Each structure stands twice: as C-alpha cells, then as structure tokens.
Amino acid sequence: MNNNINLFSPYQLGDLELPNRIVMAPLTRQRASEGNVPHSLNATYYEQRASAGLIIAEATQISPEGQGYPNTPGIHSPEQVAGWKLVTDAVHQQGGRIFLQLWHVGRISHPDLLPNGVLPIAPSAITPQGQAFTNEGFKPFVTPRALETSEIPGIVEQYRQAAVNALAAGFDGVEIHGANGYLIDQFLRDGTNQRTDEYGGSIENRVRFLQEIVEAVTSVWDSKRVGVRLSPSGTFNDMRDSHPFETFGYTAQVLNQFDLAYLHITEYTDADIRYGGTPIPTNYIRERYTGTLIVCGGYTAETGNAVLANQQADLVAFGILFIANPDLPRRLALNAPLNQPNPKTFYGGGEQGYTDYPFWSPASEPAVNL
Ligand code: 8OZ
C-alpha cells in the first residue's frame, strides 16, 4: 500500500511525463468522414479530452480488410494520415499526449464492409456467434476465410506500415489492439485458432503472430512508445480459450522481453461471467508482467485511487466516463458531479453526444451523479 499514489499523481511513462494517471480508454465512436478519414469534429472531441494523462485514440483499421464496422477511422491512406494530424495537433496544442490504437478485426466483419465483398479473414474458418454491424444494419456473421501461412507476413507488414503512418500523423505512440476478440486475440485463443502450422496449436505458436507484430511495430517506434492491450477474461465477440490462465500468463511473460510502454488490460465484466468466461484476476497478470500496467474496467475515483494505492496497477483507463465528461480529471479531482452518458449516441452520428457534453463549472446545471 502506498497512500501517496492516486489518480492525480504524475507518472513517468518512458520519456513521456504524464501529469496524472487517468487514461482515456480507446473508444469506438464511428464518426470518421467519407473514406474513413478523421476530420475536424474528431479533432474537437479529442482536444476537449486533452487533460487526460494519456489519450488512447479509438481502434483504427490498419488496412481496408481490417475494418469491421461502418465509419471507423483508418490509418492506411494519405488522407487518413492528414486527418489524424488535425487530431494530434489539436491535442498537443492543449498540452496532451495521444497514442493510436492499431486494429485489424479479423473475422468480426462482413463482406458488405470489405473491398470487393471479400470474406473476412481469421486464423481458422470458425464463424462467430452473433451479428455484424453493417451499413444496412445487423447481419449474421459469415464464416471467415482462414489465412494461408504465406499470407501472414503480409498482415504483419500492414501493422508495420500503419505504425509508420501513425508516426507521420504526429502520434506520441501506438497501442496494438490484442483484445476483445479481434484478429490478434483470435490467434491467441484456441477457441478461434485451430491452425496446424507454426501459428497454431501450442501457446508458443498462438502468441507468435502478436510477437511478430510487436517486433514489426517496435522496428518503427521506440519500444517505450508501444503498448499492447489484452482482454484475458473477455467473451465479447464469441471468444473462449480452454486454458486462459496459461494462455495469458504466458503472453504477458513474452511481452516482458520487449520493454514496452505498457500492457493494458480490459478486465472482466458481469457479462463475461454470464457468458461463461473465466475471470482472471488482474493480479495474476501483474505478477507476471514486469512493466507498466494499465487497467480498464468500470473504475470510479474511489476504486481507481484504491487500485493505484494498492499498487495493483500504474495507470487507470476510463471509457464511458470520458465519453460524457471531457474534463474528467478535473471533475474527479474536485469531486464534481458527472454528466450522464447517452448510449444512443455512442456509435455514429455527429456532434450530438460527442462534442456537446458540457465542461463542469460551479454554475453548471446540476448533473446526475453516477
Ligand atoms: C464497441 C463497438 C465496436 C468496436 C473494442 C473496438 O471492443 C472495439 C469496439 C467496441 O475493442
């Protein structure tokens, strides 16, 4: 226990000085413009949230084939790089720091969303339960096409090129999205990976894809500017693993060798338990991962301060609270009321429910306390 550490303590993240330990979690908002290009509305949204110790910008597809939802931004075209530059400039002007989350959805897509209507790709041809979110509403997931072994270096190269593009767009670092049932997670877990080549079977083989991506991205960025996100207990996107403690304990240990900026853990939710997920206590990861740990999972000021004071984590990420409260650090510091988030405007649309949540001032309308 270290009672001197709380959400408002500064943190040295590699050579980046974070003024507080409050991280804005990556949040899919589906508000890119034509061509999945970030635009001034997105710059305003992130700029409003620049008082976070660190912003992790939303999941961003590394290639057209990596997209799984309408209007999510990409980082594969020159227009997207220019669009993201508007965002990073705006955040830096406000004194903030911003990483980009690099994303390939793998099987969590639909031909309607993909170039020439191709099938989504995955480690194995296993159909996810559930429905894809297409431009015409929800449609049942299709059976993905299993990647040939010879295609895997090309996907790793897409991550490397996206990392180059993120650097050109002025980000302070990148987070590799290895969580929530997308392509990397599909390789890690044996419920979605039934390959018989060197990328499947043993956990050493299943983690190889992530390892090669980390190697590629850290060939572009200093390793201290690269984070990885994992969801060891997650069931979202129909995920399961027969030995999750072994899978994620091993993965955390493999990541130690890269001297990364951080490991970011999406912790389990009630829904994960209901869907039969195995809750993996974050301390299990903490005991195995030697670097900076970010936790994300419904924290409040009180529980966030406690997890830091108990040294169970180094930084705490907030998602929904940041959607509704652009000035979240100030509100938490002053114990000010919090704006109520509106789930109807989480995904898609314009400024409503995106850039119009008010900043707190003593004269504000009384807000609903969560
Ligand atoms: C919610 C809706 C769409 C995408 C994730 C990128 O779970 C997402 C996501 C979340 O990581």
Side-chain angles (χ1 to χ4, degrees):
M1 181 90 172
N2 182 339
N3 284 319
N4 295 324
I5 299 178
N6 63 30
L7 290 167
F8 310 101
S9 312
Y11 188 76
Q12 192 71 38
L13 185 70
D15 64 343
L16 287 175
E17 287 169 29
L18 313 188
N20 60 57
R21 294 176 183 231
I22 300 170
V23 174
M24 179 176 167
L27 294 159
T28 289
R29 305 302 310 274
Q30 298 183 279
R31 282 169 168 88
S33 65
E34 188 72 30
N36 303 319
V37 173
H39 58 131
S40 61
L41 178 67
N42 311 122
T44 302
Y45 164 75
Y46 283 110
E47 170 183 44
Q48 288 175 341
R49 288 157 179 78
S51 63
L54 177 67
I55 295 172
I56 305 167
E58 66 211 77
T60 296
Q61 58 266 6
I62 58 168
S63 61
E65 298 78 20
Q67 182 173 0
Y69 305 83
N71 306 116
T72 55
I75 186 73
H76 51 82
S77 76
E79 294 78 15
Q80 291 163 349
V81 171
W84 277 119
K85 188 82 173 53
L86 296 176
V87 173
T88 60
D89 282 348
V91 169
H92 290 149
Q93 251 162 39
Q94 293 299 317
R97 294 140 300 280
I98 180 166
F99 277 34
L100 183 65
Q101 197 191 44
L102 303 181
W103 191 32
H104 193 306
V105 298
R107 67 177 189 161
I108 302 302
S109 188
H110 190 278
D112 285 7
L113 291 162
L114 298 176
N116 308 316
V118 294
L119 285 176
I121 53 105
S124 302
I126 300 170
T127 320
Q129 291 282 323
Q131 295 187 309
F133 188 164
T134 76
N135 287 306
E136 293 153 20
F138 287 100
K139 294 191 179 179
F141 282 122
V142 299
T143 306
R145 180 177 73 78
L147 282 168
E148 300 290 339
T149 309
S150 60
E151 292 179 282
I152 293 182
I155 308 282
V156 174
E157 169 56 21
Q158 290 177 3
Y159 279 91
R160 195 198 63 79
Q161 184 61 52
V164 168
N165 294 350
L167 195 58
F171 283 96
D172 298 296
V174 290
E175 175 175 288
I176 297 167
H177 194 349
N180 300 349
Y182 300 108
L183 185 60
I184 294 172
D185 205 15
Q186 291 160 29
F187 270 87
L188 288 175
R189 299 203 235 182
D190 63 10
T192 37
N193 182 346
Q194 293 175 5
R195 300 181 71 87
T196 53
D197 63 3
E198 65 265 37
Y199 294 94
S202 65
I203 175 56
E204 289 82 359
N205 280 355
R206 283 180 278 130
V207 84
R208 192 181 311 282
F209 182 59
L210 170 62
Q211 235 171 305
E212 290 181 358
I213 290 165
V214 175
E215 276 161 20
V217 171
T218 56
S219 74
V220 176
W221 286 86
D222 185 296
S223 65
K224 282 290 187 206
R225 298 299 188 98
V226 177
V228 170
R229 194 177 212 215
L230 298 174
S231 52
S233 315
T235 54
F236 182 50
N237 287 326
D238 194 22
M239 293 304 289
R240 63 184 59 89
D241 189 75
S242 60
H243 296 86
F245 280 92
E246 287 82 349
T247 297
F248 287 98
Y250 180 80
T251 304
Q253 279 165 337
V254 164
L255 293 176
N256 283 332
Q257 74 201 50
F258 291 101
D259 194 28
L260 297 174
Y262 61 79
L263 174 59
H264 182 180
I265 298 292
T266 310
E267 296 177 298
Y268 57 87
T269 62
D270 292 346
D272 294 320
I273 314 295
R274 275 201 306 281
Y275 284 107
T278 306
I280 303 205
T282 302
N283 273 345
Y284 179 81
I285 303 294
R286 182 67 155 171
E287 284 157 13
R288 285 160 181 78
Y289 184 70
T290 52
T292 297
L293 193 70
I294 307 181
V295 289
C296 185
Y299 284 92
T300 61
E302 197 181 346
T303 59
N305 282 328
V307 81
L308 295 176
N310 292 331
Q311 295 173 304
Q312 292 169 312
D314 303 294
L315 300 165
V316 181
F318 295 85
I320 289 176
L321 293 187
F322 255 118
I323 289 182
N325 298 278
D327 50 353
L328 184 65
R330 182 160 181 263
R331 289 178 188 250
L332 295 182
L334 298 176
N335 202 19
L338 297 172
N339 296 322
Q340 182 78 46
N342 177 6
K344 293 201 181 85
T345 51
F346 283 179
Y347 305 115
E351 61 187 44
Q352 199 200 341
Y354 189 55
T355 52
D356 63 354
Y357 285 106
F359 284 66
W360 185 78
S361 77
S364 302
E365 290 290 307
V368 180
N369 222 334
L370 289 179

